[in-house]
Amino acid sequence: MTEAARPEARPQRPLLDAITRITDLFTYPLRTSHYVELVNPLWTTHQLQARVMEVWDETRDARTITLKPGLNWRGHRAGQHVRVGIPVDGRHYTRTYTISSPPERADGCFTITVKVVEGGRISRHIVRNLKPGDYLPIGLPQGSFHLPDAQPVKPLFVTAGSGITPARSMLRSLIAQERLPDTVHIHYAPHEFDTIFGRELRELAERHPRYHFHPVYTRELGEQQRGRQYFSRDQLDRLCPDWRTRECYACGPQGLLATVEGVWNDAGLGRHLHVERFRAAFAEVPADAVGGAVKFAKSAVSAQAAAGTSLLRVAEDAGLNPPHGCRMGICHACDTTLLAGCVRDLRTGEVRNEAGSIVQPCICAAAGDCELDL
Ligand code: FES
């Protein structure tokens, strides 16, 4: 399995950095970059931004956003993700999206493809309200869910819903490099009409005989037979008989990934499986677990928290806007200090109560009353 945080290294520009250091002396306490931002937000150096160039509806609830990144952007590897800042109703949120375009784009832009999540205010805002000309703060590309540089492998993609985005980026990249190996792609979507990139990938399969696309429409068989359409070992054997000889890249909802992991682990092939998650895999909250009163010390705000609700969500629901990035325990952008009390790691169930220790509010919940340095 892969998923590792990678530090965001800013590209080096020695001459520009030297000039900026000098001009910063004259603009103190601000920085030159703050004035440059008034002319063109893409030229700033204190914060990386991107301009929305185009929006494109893929399906009725999924949209591809084309972004032109600022000067400090460095190219991504196909399959990586990026943090995007979204201002909504005067508050600033951060979400992480896979880059859906290949790095080989000639115009220096990249795309993210966002599907509306049920009850998701931010994804809804992106899909419904974002428009060309908007500027968004972004991070640098991150993540180890990508194809190896050297030796092309025989990939098997197993994706569902918007989990198709990294696979699309990888495919497009392999095609652009003219090194597409024998590739099998099993993709799950409710219907043909709401398959993100569905038509594009079917056309790719017609043009590239090495690309074998198997869309599976989980809601088109009717209620009784629907279960037969979900991922299973039998279905895998049928659609990709040589799956044991392939390197598998899986991205989709937790249920799909858990089943895929089970099949690969049972076969003793876990090292050939690479998984990208939408969110952290949380363990079941023990029946006797209790939440508690959470005090956010710096903000002088308190809130009641349930045992299964992340402290990041508790803070946001209380009207705070703490720093965060991936929301699944990878990037450490949300790290804060536990000042008192007890928290539970929702992934492992481990309980921590040492005052002064660093905790990640996105994957920790209150285990009784607690106080955080937020
Ligand atoms: S937001 Fe990334 S680790 Fe918490």
Side-chain angles (χ1 to χ4, degrees):
M1 293 205 311
T2 63
E3 189 49 272
R6 179 178 292 191
E8 294 189 0
R10 192 168 71 82
Q12 296 299 303
R13 295 188 176 83
L15 181 59
L16 185 62
D17 289 349
I19 293 171
T20 306
R21 269 199 301 278
I22 294 169
T23 55
D24 279 351
L25 297 174
F26 298 95
T27 57
Y28 184 82
L30 295 179
R31 291 170 54 187
T32 314
S33 176
H34 290 99
Y35 293 95
V36 168
E37 185 176 13
L38 301 175
V39 181
N40 186 338
L42 298 189
W43 295 344
T44 61
T45 54
H46 68 284
Q47 180 185 46
L48 182 55
Q49 301 205 52
R51 184 175 202 264
V52 177
M53 304 300 287
E54 194 184 354
V55 297
W56 172 262
D57 288 328
E58 299 288 349
T59 67
R60 60 189 172 159
D61 61 357
R63 176 173 275 189
T64 290
I65 319 285
T66 303
L67 295 166
K68 175 86 178 169
L71 286 181
N72 282 336
W73 176 254
R74 63 167 156 71
H76 68 284
R77 300 182 69 168
Q80 287 192 306
H81 51 254
V82 64
R83 276 188 300 115
V84 181
I86 318 285
V88 183
D89 299 334
R91 290 178 58 188
H92 180 85
Y93 299 86
T94 305
R95 293 293 183 270
T96 301
Y97 294 105
T98 300
I99 297 172
S100 53
S101 55
E104 290 79 11
R105 265 185 86 124
D107 60 2
C109 294
F110 68 90
T111 63
I112 55 172
T113 302
V114 180
K115 187 173 191 301
V116 175
V117 178
E118 207 175 306
R121 195 167 22 147
I122 312 305
S123 60
R124 181 167 298 278
H125 175 81
I126 293 175
V127 172
R128 302 279 180 253
N129 303 334
L130 222 55
K131 57 185 187 315
D134 288 347
Y135 285 92
L136 304 173
I138 58 171
L140 287 170
Q142 290 188 318
S144 54
F145 186 77
H146 53 72
L147 296 170
D149 285 331
Q151 160 71 17
V153 291
K154 276 201 321 181
L156 161 61
F157 296 117
V158 179
T159 59
S162 57
I164 202 167
T165 49
R168 192 261 194 168
S169 176
M170 292 178 189
L171 276 170
R172 282 287 182 193
S173 180
L174 289 167
I175 290 170
Q177 295 175 46
E178 297 181 349
R179 58 170 196 143
L180 179 70
D182 182 307
T183 301
V184 176
H185 187 176
I186 304 172
H187 178 67
Y188 297 86
H191 310 96
E192 183 173 349
F193 69 81
D194 56 10
T195 305
I196 300 171
F197 304 131
R199 180 194 287 187
E200 174 186 326
L201 296 185
R202 284 194 300 276
E203 287 173 4
L204 274 187
E206 279 166 23
R207 271 186 283 131
H208 297 273
R210 287 160 174 249
Y211 174 54
H212 311 282
F213 184 45
H214 300 290
V216 181
Y217 305 120
T218 53
R219 299 233 173 118
E220 289 191 352
L221 273 188
E223 194 67 41
Q224 300 85 354
Q225 300 181 62
R226 192 183 295 173
R228 288 183 15 209
Q229 288 296 81
Y230 291 121
F231 177 86
S232 67
R233 167 71 186 276
D234 285 351
Q235 190 183 60
L236 179 63
D237 283 337
R238 204 161 10 95
L239 297 179
C240 182
D242 64 352
W243 62 271
R244 289 176 193 78
T245 66
R246 292 176 179 271
E247 209 68 17
C248 179
Y249 296 83
C251 183
Q254 186 50 35
L256 169 72
L257 297 182
T259 315
V260 169
E261 284 174 320
V263 169
W264 259 258
N265 288 338
D266 287 351
L269 295 170
R271 68 184 185 285
H272 295 291
L273 173 64
H274 312 269
V275 171
E276 178 82 325
R277 299 179 191 284
F278 296 153
R279 56 177 63 107
F282 286 167
E284 200 157 318
V285 179
D288 57 352
V290 292
V294 184
K295 190 167 166 192
F296 299 103
K298 271 192 192 138
S299 325
V301 167
S302 294
Q304 200 61 33
T309 306
S310 78
L311 290 163
L312 177 58
R313 171 55 75 88
V314 174
E316 289 176 336
D317 288 348
L320 305 183
N321 196 7
H324 61 274
C326 64
R327 304 179 78 88
M328 53 182 169
I330 296 170
C331 72
H332 288 274
C334 65
D335 281 4
T336 190
T337 306
L338 177 67
L339 298 177
C342 204
V343 300
R344 173 181 293 102
D345 187 319
L346 289 164
R347 299 168 304 179
T348 61
E350 182 197 350
V351 171
R352 306 181 67 172
N353 58 5
E354 316 89 53
S357 61
I358 299 298
V359 294
Q360 293 166 279
C362 68
I363 45 96
C364 286
D369 295 348
C370 60
E371 183 174 351
L372 298 180
D373 189 26
L374 280 176

